[in-house]
Amino acid sequence: MVEAQSDTKPSDPEGEEESLSPPTPPKREAWLGASSLSQFQGCWLSEDFSKSAALVQAHFQPRPDDIILATYPKCGTTWLKALAFAITNRSHHPITCKNHPLLTHLPHDLVEDLEFPLRYLHHPVSELENLPSPRLLCTHLPLPLLPTSVSTIGCRIVYLCREPKDVLVSMWHYMNKVYRDCFTEFDRAFELFCEGVSLYGPIWDHYLGYWKQMTTEPNRVLFLKYDEMMADTGNHVKRLAEFFGGPVSVEEESSGIVQDIVKLCSFENLKKMPVSCSGVTNPIDGLAIENSVFFRTGKVRDWENHMTEEMAKKLDRIIEDKLGGCGLTF
Ligand code: PAP
């Protein structure tokens, strides 16, 4: 009796307070920018990104015909947005027309993001309600952080992943360019990435969430790899068109539309657009990002220029171990 009372400590206000206050999330230095990263529902995010994710969870109202493009950062989001926009809008915007939107706009400005640019600052999530159906949307959020209704009402998802070593290299370049004052040595970024500490990380959890969903619902989740899309972009254009519900017709194919889409959305073509060379994006107050940072090398295996063999083997082992024989390999 006495023991039970002392366990519950009904008259200990301090103890009560302790049990009511939420645990402080672990924080880590941000190798990638100005602020530290904290765990938000198991995902490493900065404070601003956590707020933004919470707003998506609270206010985003998925529709059954939404198509969501999902990526871990630096896996080819810009490319996927360009392809998806070109494919889904090809009847309003013929691919070879002189005023195709992709000739004057960054792909990021043609496909709405759920949580980035930081919507709570400038664009409430509710603005997404004004978009006509079917909506083409994009997110970096891991699947478990999206509202559960995304899955229950059957939104289609295209997930694009990339060889993790190339992701790390691309992210390291990008972050050091955007957050110029917070240069991080590659070796330090590598260590943190291996621990899973990177924006929207751990990368393996991000990949696994969508991969597992694809294995149970292959008709609703299309899972793609950057390297494979590089090797045969034409075939991926056809797969995407089919997945979006408007397969490339025989007439379209014989008119060369697949090659035209591949060319329009190619790294070389998008990189040389005036908006890519000189434009600036302002996702966050006070942070101006030159659009050119979205187009660096667009190469597969650039990690070979940044990592020792030992580093590569270490990260390979970690990724293999974390993916745990799920079937996803690089
Ligand atoms: P984001 O997550 O910030 O939106 P994201 O577009 O996913 O970035 O990734 C950028 C990478 O895609 C860059 O890779 P790199 O650093 O290894 O060069 C960028 O060059 C590459 N990229 C951009 N556009 C294309 C494209 N059209 N085709 C192929 N790769 C591209």
Side-chain angles (χ1 to χ4, degrees):
M1 208 44 190
V2 174
E3 267 178 30
Q5 270 181 4
S6 73
D7 272 347
T8 50
K9 291 184 187 160
S11 58
D12 173 10
E14 259 186 78
E16 230 177 351
E17 211 167 75
E18 200 173 284
S19 69
L20 289 176
S21 54
T24 314
K27 281 198 174 199
R28 294 297 302 262
E29 75 201 81
W31 61 276
L32 310 165
S35 54
S36 60
L37 297 178
S38 299
Q39 286 243 318
F40 177 82
Q41 297 172 9
C43 176
W44 288 103
L45 294 174
S46 67
E47 201 184 334
D48 281 343
F49 282 79
S50 298
K51 283 185 198 162
S52 202
L55 284 167
V56 170
Q57 292 179 347
H59 301 294
F60 172 50
Q61 308 265 338
R63 299 177 195 160
D65 56 1
D66 282 340
I67 296 168
I68 299 178
L69 310 178
T71 54
Y72 183 83
K74 314 325 285 181
C75 286
T77 325
T78 315
W79 189 20
L80 182 62
K81 282 182 176 179
L83 288 166
F85 180 87
I87 293 166
T88 54
N89 289 284
R90 65 192 193 274
S91 57
H92 321 295
H93 299 297
I95 303 302
T96 51
C97 72
K98 296 261 180 302
N99 57 355
H100 194 284
L102 278 165
L103 302 177
T104 47
H105 294 72
L106 200 66
H108 289 286
D109 296 332
L110 296 172
V111 178
E112 288 288 337
D113 289 306
L114 290 187
E115 79 284 2
F116 186 88
L118 302 171
R119 291 203 154 271
Y120 72 94
L121 289 176
H122 301 297
H123 307 281
V125 175
S126 57
E127 271 187 15
L128 296 172
E129 285 307 299
N130 302 332
L131 295 176
S133 292
R135 295 180 298 187
L136 188 58
L137 303 166
C138 191
T139 189
H140 281 323
L141 288 174
L143 187 58
L145 267 68
L146 289 176
T148 46
S149 50
V150 164
S151 292
T152 52
I153 67 169
C155 304
R156 276 166 297 165
I157 296 174
V158 180
Y159 189 73
L160 178 62
C161 73
R162 189 178 186 186
E163 211 293 327
K165 299 191 291 303
D166 276 340
V167 175
L168 166 62
V169 167
S170 182
M171 189 175 255
W172 178 73
H173 278 286
Y174 175 86
M175 291 298 179
N176 281 316
K177 197 134 194 211
V178 171
Y179 301 95
R180 285 182 277 275
D181 303 334
C182 310
F183 179 80
T184 306
E185 296 292 342
F186 183 76
D187 287 7
R188 184 66 192 134
F190 174 81
E191 282 169 27
L192 289 167
F193 196 78
C194 286
E195 287 180 50
V197 183
S198 60
L199 194 59
Y200 290 100
I203 187 172
W204 45 83
D205 284 348
H206 207 286
Y207 284 9
L208 271 175
Y210 287 97
W211 175 263
K212 285 183 180 158
Q213 199 65 39
M214 178 277 292
T215 57
T216 53
E217 293 184 276
N219 295 331
R220 195 173 69 75
V221 181
L222 181 64
F223 196 101
L224 305 175
K225 291 179 175 173
Y226 181 96
D227 299 13
E228 291 178 359
M229 198 151 90
M230 270 288 186
D232 188 354
T233 313
N235 186 38
H236 282 72
V237 166
K238 289 196 257 181
R239 285 180 72 190
L240 283 166
E242 196 164 342
F243 186 75
F244 295 149
V248 175
S249 66
V250 176
E251 297 75 42
E252 281 183 314
E253 189 146 14
S254 53
S255 76
I257 197 169
V258 172
Q259 289 75 15
D260 289 340
I261 293 173
V262 171
K263 193 171 161 205
L264 176 66
C265 301
S266 69
F267 176 80
E268 294 71 26
N269 194 48
L270 293 183
K271 187 181 169 79
K272 69 170 194 247
M273 295 295 161
V275 68
S276 309
C277 300
S278 56
V280 170
T281 302
N282 279 82
I284 309 169
D285 283 338
L287 182 71
I289 297 181
E290 290 168 21
N291 292 342
S292 58
V293 298
F294 295 106
F295 308 94
R296 194 179 61 90
T297 65
K299 287 207 170 84
V300 168
R301 297 181 73 86
D302 187 39
W303 61 263
E304 288 172 346
N305 298 314
H306 295 79
M307 284 184 207
T308 61
E309 210 168 297
E310 198 185 326
M311 290 166 104
K313 277 191 187 146
K314 178 178 172 178
L315 185 49
D316 283 347
R317 266 196 309 273
I318 291 171
I319 296 291
E320 202 182 321
D321 180 48
K322 297 290 183 184
L323 294 181
C326 71
L328 175 60
T329 53
F330 294 96

